[in-house]
Amino acid sequence: MKMSSISGRSLTAIGLSVMTAVGVVNPASANTPTTGHLAAAQEIVTQLDTIGWPAESAYNQYNSLTGGTVTWGTPGQPTTYNNNSQCAPFVTQSVQHAYSWARGSGSGSFFYTYFNANSPTSASWYYGLKYGKRTGPSTWIDVPHFETVNSAREILPGDVLAIQYGTGTGSPTGHTAIIESSEVWDDTSPTTTVFRVKVLDSTSNPHGLAPAGDTRSVGYTEYNGAGSGYMLLYADKASGAFTGSKWGVNEGGGSYYPNVETSAGRPFIVSHVTD
């Protein structure tokens, strides 16, 4: 059963002034969620998509060897944009493109200070958002500009989704994406609600074949790089707490993974980005 949804493009346009039942700002939050990084990711995906596949592959591809780079160009001139990145660097560089507090490199930079790397892996994104920065044997501090989303009903456009694969020691270590929208996808279970979230990411494996809605899928042909697609997040019906996820809606790689920190799980966290 489908219910209300909230769109990142419309929310960006109205400046977070209107909310729906699916996305409600936690009234206890001291900071305001912001969507500049979402707009940055939307811009490069939209501009590159005007080229069209397969020609787009010359400017948009998944970097399987290193973290890679993302280059923003001039709107209306799509070939001035370039994506050659993995998932975590795509999100990191979208955040850096949007906010001055996230820029820089070296020991004094934001990401090096709080994630122990200028370009953190997906596992590092997950650990930092979940536990914060370790400052002692048993002490941690929260990462500023990020606030944990504890209920699937509180997902907002621009939230960062950070997934760790198993224990986070394999390759890849996980997946990182920016959520553009969220809607209730299946509410028929007495205990679980399934949310379909539209994500922006850079991946070698699009989130489903057409007509699943991934911009990197053309018929039965899948391309790699930056784009948008749909993932499924599972939540406890009573509390809204996240219980699991699926990579896509209609593909072979769409197995269910529990939100647990075991070798068989894919634990994840959703966080608002704040100003």
Side-chain angles (χ1 to χ4, degrees):
M1 179 178 68
K2 294 187 179 181
M3 297 174 65
S4 56
S5 63
I6 185 165
S7 166
R9 299 180 191 279
S10 61
L11 187 57
T12 301
I14 61 178
L16 291 168
S17 62
V18 177
M19 302 294 173
T20 72
V22 172
V24 179
V25 176
N26 183 351
S29 173
N31 302 301
T32 302
T34 184
T35 57
H37 61 294
L38 171 61
Q42 288 172 330
E43 178 185 334
I44 194 163
V45 167
T46 300
Q47 290 293 319
L48 288 172
D49 278 351
T50 63
I51 300 172
W53 304 103
E56 185 177 335
S57 295
Y59 305 91
N60 183 13
Q61 57 190 286
Y62 179 81
N63 188 321
S64 61
L65 299 177
T66 62
T69 59
V70 186
T71 303
W72 279 263
T74 302
Q77 300 178 33
T79 57
T80 63
Y81 291 78
N82 189 276
N83 172 67
N84 184 22
S85 71
Q86 296 179 5
C87 56
F90 178 78
V91 174
T92 299
Q93 292 177 49
S94 293
V95 171
Q96 291 175 322
H97 184 78
Y99 313 115
S100 59
W101 51 260
R103 296 173 194 149
S105 61
S107 59
S109 68
F110 176 83
F111 280 101
Y112 195 92
T113 297
Y114 292 103
F115 292 89
N116 298 314
N118 291 320
S119 184
T121 64
S122 289
S124 295
W125 263 101
Y126 168 77
Y127 189 91
L129 296 182
K130 179 76 172 179
Y131 298 106
K133 175 181 173 61
R134 190 166 190 159
T135 56
S138 59
T139 58
W140 290 262
I141 59 173
D142 290 339
V143 176
H145 298 289
F146 292 91
E147 292 188 355
T148 300
V149 176
N150 294 309
S151 170
R153 303 183 190 95
E154 296 176 358
I155 293 174
L156 290 175
D159 286 351
V160 170
L161 170 63
I163 307 171
Q164 177 176 281
Y165 290 173
T167 58
T169 57
S171 180
T173 65
H175 188 66
T176 314
I178 300 171
I179 295 176
E180 183 176 82
S181 64
S182 174
E183 65 179 344
V184 172
W185 185 245
D186 187 349
D187 201 28
T188 57
S189 168
T191 59
T192 302
T193 301
V194 184
F195 290 79
R196 186 177 77 156
V197 294
K198 186 176 184 180
V199 297
L200 293 149
D201 57 10
S202 185
T203 180
S204 62
N205 181 23
H207 302 278
L209 296 169
D214 195 294
T215 59
R216 292 152 293 201
S217 295
V218 181
Y220 288 99
T221 302
E222 292 186 334
Y223 296 92
N224 64 76
S228 65
Y230 293 93
M231 297 181 66
L232 298 179
L233 301 183
Y234 291 70
D236 179 81
K237 180 164 286 187
S239 67
F242 297 106
T243 57
S245 65
K246 279 188 178 181
W247 181 258
V249 177
N250 71 342
E251 62 168 342
S255 300
Y256 172 85
Y257 293 94
N259 183 25
V260 293
E261 292 184 347
T262 66
S263 59
R266 286 190 176 181
F268 66 90
I269 187 168
V270 178
S271 292
H272 298 322
V273 181
T274 63
D275 55 12

